Amino acid sequence: MIRLKGITKTYQTGQVSTPVLLGVDLEIAGGEFTAIMGPSGSGKSTLMHIMGLLDRPSGGSYLLDGHEVCDLTDDQLSVLRNRKMGFVFQAFHLLAQATALKNVLLPFVYAGPYPTDAQERGRRALAAVGLEHRLSHRPGELSGGECQRVAIARALVTDPDLIFADEPTGNLDRRSSYEVMAILQGLSAQGKTVVLVTHDSHVSEMCSRVVRLVYGRIESDQRNPSPLSAAAMLAGLPPEQDQP
Amino acid sequence: MSRFSRLLREAARFLWSSRAYTLLMMIGLIIGIASVTVIYELGAGVRERVVSIMSGMGFGADAFFVSSGGGRLGVRRPGGGSRTLTPDDAAVLARVDNVAMVVPHLTLRRDRVSHRDLHTSTVIFGVTPDYGAARRWDVSMGRFIDQQDESQRRRVTVLGSATAEELFPGQSPLGQQIQVGSVPFTVVGVLEPRGGVGGPGRSRDDLALVPLSVAMRRLAKEDKLSSIRINVERADNFQDTVEEVRQILRTRHKLAAGVPDDFTIVTPDAVVELITRQSRAMVVMLTFISAVSLFVSGIVIMNIMLVAVSERTHEIGVRRAVGARRADILTQVLMESVMVSVLGGALGFGLGALLSWLLEWGFDLPTAFSLQGSVLAFAFSAGVGLLFGLFPARKAAALTPVESLR
């Protein structure tokens, strides 16, 4: 699905150039649940942004489904993001003034033709993350974990092949983290390709593959034949105290 | 639903969710457009009232004056100075094509008129029998000056209602004798009261009409006219007729090329122009001030949009991430600023129309709906939105997705 070859990225700030990625070769097959780990400044977020077509590499080649994407125009990249990808961010990035359902429907604003069943698909996506009872709540009325689940629903609603999650549990408590990871594991089980950036090794233990990045290069790339089940971890937590 | 209408909805949603910003952005425009609207409605109202007063005086679009003496309307008082028009001029002009009626007329100095021991001073006009018909001014008692009066130079007079009241309080003036200067006249009629102002400090009903021939021979003692009023048959040939009259008079007065006219042609348009000149100067000045205030409100819109764009950097990043193209972001921000301006313009226009109505209702100031003003207001506000939205919109669209998500 994703084939990176010799990907480099250098940020230019005035006279100072900062190399971030020094040649990354990486193949990710469909259905894999890959964690990209590394210390701060290792370039893991930059790598995810390049894979998610949010940023362009300075050099190298990126084949997405066998097609080179480095030569595509800005508009073509927008269309690919809209059709094939979904994003989950650490800070949720929901529209504060819009309801959960409106937030989830945002990708359809920029879809080619507007699907006639958009509302229905938005409801289904929210139901898939267990928020069918929160359709008309605004982000301010939701907990952090619920916000992140709305964000996942927004990433799901167009039924993309690829889900990118940048520190999705970074702002969440333990319980919400397990909930989010359980949803992502479920998506992976359905055949979606999930790429997750994290610095939390506990989170990476729930992924089927862990790519470790240090100073812009891949240091290790390990398969994890028996990832921890987030759902099982969630079940093992002591019962919630005062959740209405 | 088309992409355009989806973006329009996103833009409207932003304006609604940021009502405080929206209101702040609109307020300058509302005030600016409201004042432009009031100015234009007042200007149009003054013009409309002047035209209606003039056509009430029988000086509508089918008549003009030639008055003695050169110069320009509004610079020199028509009829002042030496008289240059003659009854023969009037007779010749009556034969010009498209001329329906020629009414020669002589205005004399204000003079003392008396009846027994009552006296007053009034303006004496020498007129022909057509005068009443041409000015649509009838008598309320007695009769108007007729052809016999004119040809036999009878010393008869038709008094204005105010003058009649001065000299004959509570009694009929018909058949009575009055003295104009030292010349005795018999009163044969009294004009309908007209009301209004006929000159500086003078009622329009303060006058005495005498046959033109008598005015020339007995009072002015020269065969000259103050002015000739000309009614045309077809208003569409108006300008051609005016020009033909000018050329005939220049030839008759033996004016060489380059010598200015020794008469002045006064058209209704020129009079409206003269009367509304001052209010037009005010309109221009106030329009300029409003333009400055609209420009300032444009700057305000731009600044608030810039703030809103930088506050929404992450939102723009998310929109880009889920598939918005640069053009989508640019379009949405432009839609926001144009929408806010057009809305502000519409509210301002409504407020201005309401204020104009209040001015007319409360202070009896003439106002009229001005199409020019409303079109200008809408064009201006849409233009302000487009112009001052462009910079924030370009700024919003320039960011890459990664830059705006950071």
Side-chain angles (χ1 to χ4, degrees):
Chain A
M1 171 141 280
I2 290 176
R3 181 174 296 190
L4 301 177
K5 201 142 187 66
I7 290 292
T8 61
K9 180 68 183 180
T10 303
Y11 285 110
Q12 200 74 34
T13 319
Q15 296 292 318
V16 187
S17 60
T18 317
V20 179
L21 295 177
L22 303 167
V24 172
D25 300 332
L26 181 63
E27 280 190 39
I28 294 176
E32 275 189 307
F33 191 176
T34 308
I36 298 174
M37 291 201 66
S40 296
S42 59
K44 57 187 190 298
S45 285
T46 302
L47 182 61
M48 194 211 84
H49 289 149
I50 287 172
M51 286 195 282
L53 306 178
L54 297 168
D55 205 354
R56 288 171 185 274
S58 307
S61 142
Y62 175 7
L63 296 181
L64 178 67
D65 286 336
H67 301 288
E68 179 59 59
V69 293
C70 292
D71 312 325
L72 296 181
T73 65
D74 208 63
D75 285 0
Q76 288 169 321
L77 295 182
S78 293
V79 171
L80 277 181
R81 285 196 300 269
N82 187 253
R83 298 222 178 116
K84 297 183 80 75
M85 301 175 175
F87 294 90
V88 180
F89 302 99
Q90 179 173 2
F92 323 142
H93 288 329
L94 298 177
L95 305 186
Q97 73 281 4
T99 63
L101 184 60
K102 289 266 159 61
N103 266 293
V104 169
L105 294 176
L106 188 66
F108 290 136
V109 172
Y110 306 104
Y114 191 75
T116 47
D117 58 346
Q119 297 276 330
E120 181 49 37
R121 288 170 69 175
R123 270 179 242 275
R124 272 211 308 267
L126 276 167
V129 297
L131 288 177
E132 59 273 30
H133 58 301
R134 292 280 193 263
L135 295 181
S136 45
H137 285 59
R138 285 164 215 279
E141 301 155 354
L142 298 171
S143 72
E146 287 174 322
C147 281
Q148 195 60 299
R149 278 143 70 193
V150 172
I152 295 175
R154 180 179 64 195
L156 284 180
V157 75
T158 52
D159 194 22
D161 300 330
L162 267 163
I163 307 269
F164 292 99
D166 190 356
E167 303 271 14
T169 59
N171 283 3
L172 302 181
D173 59 24
R174 182 181 289 254
R175 175 177 293 276
S176 301
S177 298
Y178 286 142
E179 284 171 354
V180 164
M181 287 309 292
I183 293 167
L184 292 177
Q185 282 184 328
L187 292 174
S188 170
Q190 288 166 30
K192 298 214 184 288
T193 309
V194 182
V195 178
L196 179 147
V197 168
T198 186
H199 61 262
D200 182 343
S201 54
H202 188 52
V203 166
S204 68
E205 284 170 43
M206 300 176 220
C207 304
S208 61
R209 180 181 176 189
V210 179
V211 174
R212 206 170 293 272
L213 217 61
V214 175
Y215 293 125
R217 288 185 213 278
I218 292 179
E219 193 198 49
S220 67
D221 183 354
Q222 292 169 319
R223 305 278 160 177
N224 182 3
S226 53
L228 293 177
S229 161
M233 306 289 292
L234 191 59
L237 285 180
E240 265 182 291
Q241 309 278 281
D242 35 12
Q243 272 278 315
Chain B
M1 192 166 38
S2 75
R3 198 181 186 95
F4 187 84
S5 58
R6 276 178 267 164
L7 291 177
L8 206 62
R9 211 171 58 167
E10 293 295 308
R13 195 173 287 156
F14 161 73
L15 293 181
W16 178 246
S17 66
S18 313
R19 287 178 287 272
Y21 279 177
T22 305
L23 201 69
L24 265 178
M25 286 194 271
M26 285 193 310
I27 203 144
L29 265 177
I30 292 177
I31 294 170
I33 296 289
S35 53
V36 171
T37 305
V38 171
I39 292 161
Y40 269 86
E41 296 213 346
L42 275 176
V46 166
R47 199 178 179 85
E48 203 169 79
R49 189 169 286 191
V50 166
V51 169
S52 109
I53 289 172
M54 283 180 28
S55 63
M57 286 163 57
F59 195 27
D62 61 343
F64 63 98
F65 281 100
V66 184
S67 73
S68 280
R72 195 153 58 80
L73 181 64
V75 174
R76 187 195 54 78
R77 273 175 60 87
S82 63
R83 301 193 181 99
T84 51
L85 296 169
T86 64
D88 288 348
D89 286 337
V92 169
L93 293 180
R95 295 196 294 270
V96 171
D97 185 40
N98 196 31
V99 168
M101 195 191 284
V102 169
V103 187
H105 165 260
L106 173 58
T107 307
L108 293 162
R109 271 189 302 117
R110 178 168 278 274
D111 207 344
R112 179 187 158 100
V113 292
S114 57
H115 169 69
R116 294 191 186 137
D117 53 344
L118 288 177
H119 59 84
T120 182
S121 90
T122 192
V123 183
I124 317 294
F125 293 99
V127 299
T128 55
D130 289 338
Y131 179 88
R135 293 202 51 177
R136 291 163 207 149
W137 203 351
D138 215 341
V139 290
S140 62
M141 63 172 90
R143 62 173 178 84
F144 204 77
I145 291 161
D146 65 19
Q147 205 53 56
Q148 271 87 38
D149 298 333
E150 175 61 24
S151 55
Q152 297 171 17
R153 291 183 207 142
R154 289 183 188 151
R155 292 194 306 278
V156 294
T157 180
V158 175
L159 296 179
S161 60
T163 309
E165 191 54 36
E166 286 275 339
L167 295 180
F168 304 97
Q171 50 172 308
S172 167
L174 293 184
Q176 304 279 357
Q177 291 278 317
I178 63 167
Q179 296 275 328
V180 176
S182 55
V183 185
F185 282 83
T186 305
V187 179
V188 295
V190 176
L191 290 166
E192 288 174 334
R194 274 248 158 132
V197 176
R202 187 173 76 82
S203 152
R204 274 209 281 169
D205 297 314
D206 169 18
L207 79 169
L209 305 179
V210 301
L212 178 63
S213 54
V214 180
M216 289 192 293
R217 293 288 160 77
R218 300 297 302 263
L219 300 176
K221 300 189 170 64
E222 62 171 348
D223 279 1
K224 293 286 172 63
L225 303 172
S226 311
S227 66
I228 302 169
R229 182 199 158 93
I230 294 163
N231 280 29
V232 297
E233 268 164 11
R234 298 178 308 276
D236 48 334
N237 283 18
F238 190 83
Q239 277 311 322
D240 295 344
T241 309
V242 168
E243 202 42 48
E244 194 175 347
V245 164
R246 181 194 305 280
Q247 291 313 326
I248 289 169
L249 288 177
R250 285 188 66 88
T251 308
R252 287 184 53 81
H253 294 190
K254 300 184 175 64
L255 299 175
V259 177
D261 294 346
D262 63 354
F263 54 90
T264 309
I265 292 181
V266 182
T267 59
D269 281 354
V271 175
V272 173
E273 221 39 48
L274 177 75
I275 296 173
T276 56
R277 185 178 297 157
Q278 279 184 328
S279 72
R280 273 193 311 126
M282 211 170 73
V283 165
V284 169
M285 193 186 73
L286 291 175
T287 304
F288 176 74
I289 293 172
S290 308
V292 170
S293 88
L294 289 176
F295 182 77
V296 171
S297 48
I299 302 274
V300 169
I301 289 176
M302 183 168 75
N303 274 296
I304 295 179
M305 287 303 292
L306 279 174
V307 169
V309 161
S310 54
E311 278 182 357
R312 289 193 292 163
T313 305
H314 285 149
E315 178 189 322
I316 292 166
V318 170
R319 288 177 186 276
R320 295 298 310 276
V322 302
R325 300 167 306 183
R326 280 183 201 279
D328 294 326
I329 302 294
L330 185 94
T331 308
Q332 186 186 329
V333 176
L334 267 186
M335 280 172 169
E336 286 162 5
S337 66
V338 170
M339 244 194 247
V340 87
S341 320
V342 169
L343 196 63
L347 288 176
F349 184 74
L351 182 66
L354 182 72
L355 284 177
S356 303
W357 181 80
L358 283 176
L359 283 177
E360 173 135 28
W361 179 74
F363 298 95
D364 197 32
L365 286 169
T367 63
F369 175 75
S370 164
L371 188 69
Q372 193 192 8
S374 57
V375 168
L376 202 76
F378 279 102
F380 214 105
S381 45
V384 162
L386 206 59
L387 187 71
F388 292 97
L390 208 56
F391 181 54
R394 288 177 63 105
K395 212 180 152 197
L399 294 169
T400 68
V402 155
E403 283 167 338
S404 28
L405 283 168
R406 202 168 277 151

